[in-house]
Amino acid sequence: MRIIFMGTPDFAVHSLRTLVESGYNIVAVVTMPDKPMGRHQDVLSQSAVKQYAVAQGIPVLQPERLKDEAFLEELRSYRADLQIVVAFRMLPEVVWAMPPKGTFNLHAALLPQYRGAAPINWAIINGDKQTGITTFFLDHDIDTGVVIHRQSVPIYEEDDAEAVHDRLMVLGAELVKQTVDDIQDDNIRPIPQSELTLNEPLRPAPKIFKETCEIQWARHSVRSAYNFVRGLSPYPAAWTTLGGKQLKVFKTAMQPETHDAVPGTMDTDGRTFLRFACTDGWLNVLDLQLAGKKRMPVADFLRGYNPNRQ
């Protein structure tokens, strides 16, 4: 079976590597165009998927526009039976409908929950104890196609977005492999998402922007602030302000207690702890980064910066 793989970041590389090392026939890879980097934008950065594909001698396609006729003609020339999408971009119908066995996507959530660009982040932010991975066939709308396979994955109390990402990346690669095998053997029974039982209302997973990441202290209990921080750690990172500068927060600890402080009030002994008031207690910051500085533990940060003097 001739397969075209589409993806961009490290999350996708694990699935691609698993397929290549298992002997599947990956005839081409589609990924994002190289990005200009550096002060003068004169250095081109290749996606993680491209770097791996080039190292394996797999042809790489990098279209600016997915409806460009030259790209579509080149895509057709590979005569793919199946296309696989892992962490790429929304495909037009002319692309996803091209191969006879269809195009399936790996999504880092238990669809139909958390349709959208940031399912891992939002599951943790919302305090979920479980997430998962889903393979499904693409159709006209985002993340709505019929489900091929789903697998549940726990979210532990101390997990941040990176830990869940890495867990889903490994398990997702195996689910992609299983899905390819079942499609090849005509051993699938796709299920419409409308038929999947849900125990709670649907939650979206929209793209996250810088303003999304600001900690709105007045809206947060200690628990929700703790989940918010770990759901955005280490990237793009939750942030607040300290001394007029942006302070990224990567790791925290909860300290529930009654207090009279206004939410967002900072408190510190200048040596060992730095905490912010929430609606029902304090959130202790354990790992942080002030604008212009490197990331560090709070004790190291306070040795060189006393917020009480600002």
Side-chain angles (χ1 to χ4, degrees):
M1 188 162 61
R2 297 173 63 82
I3 299 170
I4 287 179
F5 185 93
M6 302 182 181
T8 295
D10 288 329
F11 188 89
V13 172
H14 207 84
S15 292
L16 177 58
R17 180 185 295 113
T18 296
L19 293 172
V20 170
E21 292 181 354
S22 299
Y24 292 83
N25 186 22
I26 310 298
V27 296
V29 158
V30 182
T31 190
M32 294 291 285
D34 297 348
K35 295 174 96 175
M37 302 286 285
R39 173 183 261 181
H40 303 292
Q41 298 287 285
D42 55 352
V43 177
L44 292 178
S45 174
Q46 299 178 350
S47 75
V49 163
K50 178 180 179 178
Q51 292 177 44
Y52 178 78
V54 169
Q56 299 300 312
I58 302 171
V60 176
L61 287 66
Q62 296 178 273
E64 292 283 352
R65 295 185 304 111
L66 294 174
K67 291 184 179 180
D68 183 80
E69 191 52 47
F71 164 67
L72 294 175
E73 184 177 345
E74 186 175 11
L75 196 64
R76 291 188 194 99
S77 73
Y78 285 100
R79 296 176 287 106
D81 300 298
L82 175 71
Q83 292 176 156
I84 301 170
V85 180
V86 181
F88 191 47
R89 54 200 276 198
M90 186 174 179
L91 301 182
E93 182 176 1
V94 68
V95 173
W96 58 255
M98 192 177 293
K101 291 187 179 293
T103 300
F104 79 82
N105 182 60
L106 174 70
H107 189 72
L110 292 174
L111 289 175
Q113 284 290 15
Y114 296 113
R115 294 169 176 156
I120 295 173
N121 306 95
W122 286 109
I124 300 172
I125 289 170
N126 288 332
D128 291 2
K129 304 296 185 185
Q130 175 182 276
T131 185
I133 42 178
T134 304
T135 53
F136 68 99
F137 283 115
L138 294 187
D139 65 9
H140 292 92
D141 298 314
I142 296 176
D143 299 335
T144 59
V146 292
V147 168
I148 308 169
H149 291 303
R150 295 198 307 168
Q151 180 178 340
S152 298
V153 177
I155 299 176
Y156 300 111
E157 174 78 7
E158 68 279 5
D159 278 342
D160 60 13
E162 183 175 47
V164 176
H165 168 281
D166 291 353
R167 195 175 303 135
L168 296 184
M169 179 176 67
V170 174
L171 294 173
E174 291 305 314
L175 197 67
V176 165
K177 181 175 177 291
Q178 179 186 343
T179 301
V180 173
D181 288 342
D182 289 344
I183 290 173
Q184 184 165 262
D185 295 340
D186 195 25
N187 188 32
I188 59 169
R189 300 294 180 266
I191 303 173
Q193 293 187 30
S194 60
E195 296 181 10
L196 294 169
T197 302
L198 294 176
N199 297 320
E200 57 186 4
L202 285 180
R203 290 175 168 175
K207 187 175 180 179
I208 290 174
F209 299 94
K210 181 180 178 181
E211 53 269 26
T212 313
C213 301
E214 183 178 7
I215 306 171
Q216 304 289 341
W217 297 105
R219 301 179 186 175
H220 281 297
S221 66
V222 170
R223 165 65 65 179
S224 67
Y226 174 78
N227 290 338
F228 187 78
V229 169
R230 67 193 184 104
L232 296 169
S233 180
Y235 181 84
W239 63 272
T240 187
T241 55
L242 186 65
K245 294 183 178 181
Q246 184 184 89
L247 182 77
K248 290 184 176 181
V249 182
F250 300 99
K251 188 175 181 181
T252 62
M254 294 178 285
Q255 186 181 344
E257 66 177 48
T258 302
H259 62 73
D260 297 324
V262 174
T265 299
M266 182 274 295
D267 181 43
T268 181
D269 64 355
R271 296 180 296 103
T272 61
F273 75 83
L274 174 70
R275 63 183 186 172
F276 289 89
C278 299
T279 58
D280 61 350
W282 298 89
L283 189 72
N284 280 287
V285 177
L286 305 180
D287 202 3
L288 70 168
Q289 181 179 12
L290 191 67
K293 304 293 183 180
K294 66 179 183 178
R295 176 177 170 175
M296 63 186 75
V298 66
D300 292 347
F301 171 77
L302 290 173
R303 272 197 287 271
Y305 183 93
N306 187 341
N308 289 327
R309 300 196 191 106
Q310 301 307 307

